[in-house]
Amino acid sequence: MKNFWKDHFIKYLLQASASTCILIVILIFLFLFKEAIPFIKTPGLSTLLDSRWEPVSFVQERFGILPLFMGSLLVTVMATLLAIPFGIIAAVYISEVATPMEREFFKPFIELLAGIPSVVLGFFGLMVLSPIVKTVFHLSNGQTALTGAILLALMAIPTIITISEDALKSVPSSYKQASLALGASPVETIWRVTVPAALSGIIAAVMLGMGRVIGETMTVLMVTGNAPIPTLDPLESVRTMTATIAAEMGEVANQSPHYQALFWIGILLLAITFTLNFIAQRVLKKYQRRS
Amino acid sequence: MQTKLTAIVSAAILAGSLTGAALAGDKNMVQIKGSDTMVHLASAWAEKFMKNNSGIEISVTGGGSGTGFASLLNGTCDIANASRTIKDSEKNQAKSKGFEAIEHIVGLDGIAVIVNPSNPVKHLTMEQIKKIFSGETANWKTCGGPDAKISVFTRDSSSGTFQFFQEHVLAKGDYSVKARRLASNSAIVQSVGEDANGIGYVGLGYLTEAHGKVKAIGVSKDAKAAVILPSVNTVKDGSYPISRGLQMYTRNQPTGNVKVFMDFVFSAEGQKIVEEMGFVRK
């Protein structure tokens, strides 16, 4: 009898801790909507479609999310494109090519890169990378979307390497042995057998890297110049959604339209992350079914 | 220099412990928060004050004038520093929370318009400055400079300087969408110092600190008026066109430690610090 209660108690405890996560997500969603909803009445949701973000103005306060969305999109896409080749090639090297000693040498450095606080990376970007970008592209100023994207790629690379490497390692060695036995070279085996077999994990790695990039705030706040220009030019200054929330939430008057508009940006960010995860899950499932 | 450095370092450390330090109401602790323009000044006061009154702890954090007001309203600070005056909406919010926000003008500040030292432009009229910051003028050629695109730097919207400049120089118009919005005065000095085509604005106190990294522009009210360079004297006599008061706001009339501190601020010693920090005494 004692054991019965003990078992049940433990079971409920585990169930409760597992559901806490779900509860927290739901609460965050509710909180965001609760703060954001009055905006629908005044000044109306259509104001979020304005082409300018001008929340502090004597003329007219304008809350167009588009320039901020484009800023986030530009920086995220560029950072992901920069990080993918580096991340995957490094993962392949570490898991398939490197000797155990080389692996022991590289892995701590990659973990170190993942551990650099984003504000330090931002400082590095401002002092070192931005002057380089300025000189290379003959700009008068190095605070551009590209500068931010390069730094964010540095942040995404460790995530991509670590998770891709796990995926590559978990490919059964019988696959590789079969491929080699059939006369394929080691290079062919890596790119035709191992990498495709681990593709689901690699896609998940890229998605997670992207998630890290889109949510990153401090670095982009410091190096992209924060001008809310609706542009897709990598050498223009941009302002991301995250940077906007970070820079403005502190000063904004509670319950003002500006405050509520910032919550809509938060909702949009959350929706984007959810979509990314959803797509990643779908890709994973489709892939698993095929293999 | 040494004391200034310590003040900056202590301000930075305090800013770092921001979350842990939100303890307004602690009897021996006075929390000051707000304007970045005033953060060095307030730190210098705090340092001197704590030397004289060992029983009272003063903590100073920046974040912008708006942050200061928000924090005063939420009860997380005792004194809000502000480089702009309080808005009616903020005043009403204070009333609805059951207190009155009392204004104390503790000094004056000029806002210097700065450019890169390599820029040949030496003076601008208020109209020209307005056009540059609103994006109407996009090339230095229009103002007698080289044929190059102007890069405009402003503070972000939480800054009192941002709002003051918007109201008084841009005549309540909007900033150019291309204006880069930076988080602090020193970031503006840094960026304008590196950008040959840059223009920005900072409080007078930061100009003395910039040590030739940037150049202050002489400003004239219109094409006929005299060109005035920003300095302590021209702000004091009112001839420099872009100047403002530095305010501290308290919840109701100051009492207890807050009063002791405010009295110190207005004392000869406190006002001397105003001058030492590059601002103008009342």
Side-chain angles (χ1 to χ4, degrees), chain A residues 57 134 140-141 143 225 251, chain B residues 153 158 174 181 191 194-195:
Chain A
S57 170
K134 172 181 150 176
S140 78
N141 189 289
Q143 296 176 17
E251 55 88 30
Chain B
F153 295 92
S158 63
D174 284 336
R181 279 138 227 244
S191 298
E194 275 171 11
D195 189 333

Side-chain angles (χ1 to χ4, degrees), chain A residues 10 19-20 24 41 45 59 88 103 107 148 154 188 204 221 227 257 260:
Chain A
I10 301 269
S19 6
T20 313
I24 288 173
K41 236 180 174 176
L45 269 189
V59 188
I88 295 179
R103 199 172 303 154
K107 285 212 78 170
L154 286 179
E188 284 168 339
L221 183 64
Q260 290 151 3

Side-chain angles (χ1 to χ4, degrees), chain A:
Chain A
M1 195 60 197
K2 208 178 169 192
N3 265 341
F4 172 82
W5 283 113
K6 205 171 155 191
D7 280 357
H8 270 255
F9 176 71
I10 301 269
K11 187 185 153 202
Y12 287 131
L13 192 74
L14 294 179
Q15 236 167 22
S17 42
S19 6
T20 313
C21 290
I22 305 175
L23 189 71
I24 288 173
V25 171
I26 292 173
L27 284 178
I28 289 177
F29 246 113
L30 285 179
F31 171 68
L32 286 181
F33 273 106
K34 182 187 141 266
E35 298 295 318
I37 271 176
F39 195 87
I40 298 176
K41 236 180 174 176
T42 43
L45 269 189
S46 57
T47 35
L48 295 174
L49 302 174
D50 200 320
S51 62
R52 280 188 72 170
W53 176 260
E54 209 65 67
V56 177
S57 170
F58 291 95
V59 188
Q60 193 202 351
E61 293 178 346
R62 297 171 75 174
F63 304 109
I65 296 184
L66 186 72
L68 313 177
F69 177 74
M70 284 175 79
S72 280
L73 185 76
L74 181 64
V75 172
T76 307
V77 167
M78 278 199 297
T80 312
L81 290 180
L82 287 171
I84 287 176
F86 279 104
I88 295 179
I89 291 171
V92 165
Y93 171 75
I94 288 172
S95 103
E96 303 298 314
V97 185
T99 63
M101 234 174 72
E102 287 172 324
R103 199 172 303 154
E104 289 310 305
F105 176 75
F106 280 111
K107 285 212 78 170
F109 282 102
I110 292 163
E111 274 147 28
L112 203 66
L113 184 60
I116 296 178
S118 58
V119 64
V120 174
L121 213 54
F123 190 62
F124 165 79
L126 200 59
M127 297 316 231
V128 181
L129 187 62
S130 140
I132 295 174
V133 169
K134 172 181 150 176
T135 326
V136 170
F137 294 98
H138 303 289
L139 304 170
S140 78
N141 189 289
Q143 296 176 17
T144 63
L146 180 68
T147 322
I150 295 172
L151 291 170
L152 290 182
L154 286 179
M155 290 189 157
I157 285 172
T159 312
I160 297 183
I161 293 179
T162 315
I163 297 168
S164 302
E165 195 210 334
D166 282 347
L168 288 165
K169 264 207 194 121
S170 62
V171 173
S173 55
S174 56
Y175 283 30
K176 295 175 219 169
Q177 284 158 2
S179 165
L180 292 169
L182 286 171
S185 70
V187 175
E188 284 168 339
T189 305
I190 288 171
W191 293 113
R192 302 274 173 82
V193 178
T194 318
V195 171
L199 198 63
S200 60
I202 294 175
I203 291 173
V206 170
M207 289 288 180
L208 283 170
M210 243 173 129
R212 167 107 208 246
V213 164
I214 203 166
E216 174 46 44
T217 308
M218 203 58 215
T219 312
V220 284
L221 183 64
M222 288 168 83
V223 302
T224 58
N226 290 321
I229 312 169
T231 179
L232 290 176
D233 177 357
L235 297 178
E236 273 283 12
S237 167
V238 294
R239 186 183 185 98
T240 65
M241 296 190 283
T242 48
T244 307
I245 297 178
E248 294 173 12
M249 191 51 102
E251 55 88 30
V252 76
N254 263 12
Q255 319 303 336
S256 64
H258 183 187
Y259 173 86
Q260 290 151 3
L262 291 177
F263 274 90
W264 280 107
I265 299 178
I267 290 172
L268 184 60
L269 265 172
L270 207 60
I272 291 171
T273 331
F274 264 57
T275 318
L276 265 178
N277 274 333
F278 183 71
I279 294 171
Q281 296 290 343
R282 285 293 288 267
V283 171
L284 278 174
K285 267 198 191 129
K286 214 174 182 182
Y287 182 80
Q288 281 161 351
R289 219 176 292 137
R290 216 191 313 137
S291 55

Side-chain angles (χ1 to χ4, degrees), chain B residues 95-220:
Chain B
K95 258 182 210 136
S96 71
K97 298 210 168 173
F99 68 90
E100 200 181 342
I102 304 282
E103 178 179 294
H104 313 267
I105 299 172
V106 295
L108 299 172
D109 183 25
I111 296 173
V113 177
I114 54 171
V115 295
N116 192 276
S118 69
N119 194 324
V121 175
K122 285 200 171 64
H123 50 82
L124 294 166
T125 63
M126 289 292 276
E127 184 65 21
Q128 281 173 319
I129 296 174
K130 178 185 161 198
K131 281 186 173 163
I132 288 174
F133 279 89
S134 64
E136 238 179 283
T137 304
N139 197 305
W140 277 113
K141 215 166 52 175
T142 335
C143 309
D147 183 8
K149 263 211 290 192
I150 302 177
S151 10
V152 178
F153 295 92
T154 81
R155 291 292 311 284
D156 54 38
S157 58
S158 63
S159 153
T161 321
F162 174 100
Q163 292 178 25
F164 177 86
F165 203 84
Q166 188 175 37
E167 190 171 355
H168 295 272
V169 182
L170 297 184
K172 303 195 175 185
D174 284 336
Y175 284 95
S176 158
V177 72
K178 293 206 163 190
R180 289 181 161 87
R181 279 138 227 244
L182 306 185
S184 65
N185 280 297
S186 39
I188 292 197
V189 170
Q190 169 84 10
S191 298
V192 173
E194 275 171 11
D195 189 333
N197 307 317
I199 187 167
Y201 53 73
V202 289
L204 199 57
Y206 282 86
L207 193 60
T208 25
E209 214 172 87
H211 297 304
K213 254 197 270 176
V214 293
K215 184 175 82 175
I217 285 281
V219 181
S220 56

Side-chain angles (χ1 to χ4, degrees), chain B residues 220-251:
Chain B
S220 56
K221 283 201 181 93
D222 52 60
K224 284 177 208 139
V227 175
I228 312 282
L229 272 166
S231 75
V232 170
N233 289 332
T234 54
V235 170
K236 204 175 208 169
D237 67 20
S239 60
Y240 184 69
I242 318 173
S243 70
R244 60 178 169 176
L246 299 174
Q247 285 81 223
M248 284 182 141
Y249 287 86
T250 53
R251 244 178 268 122

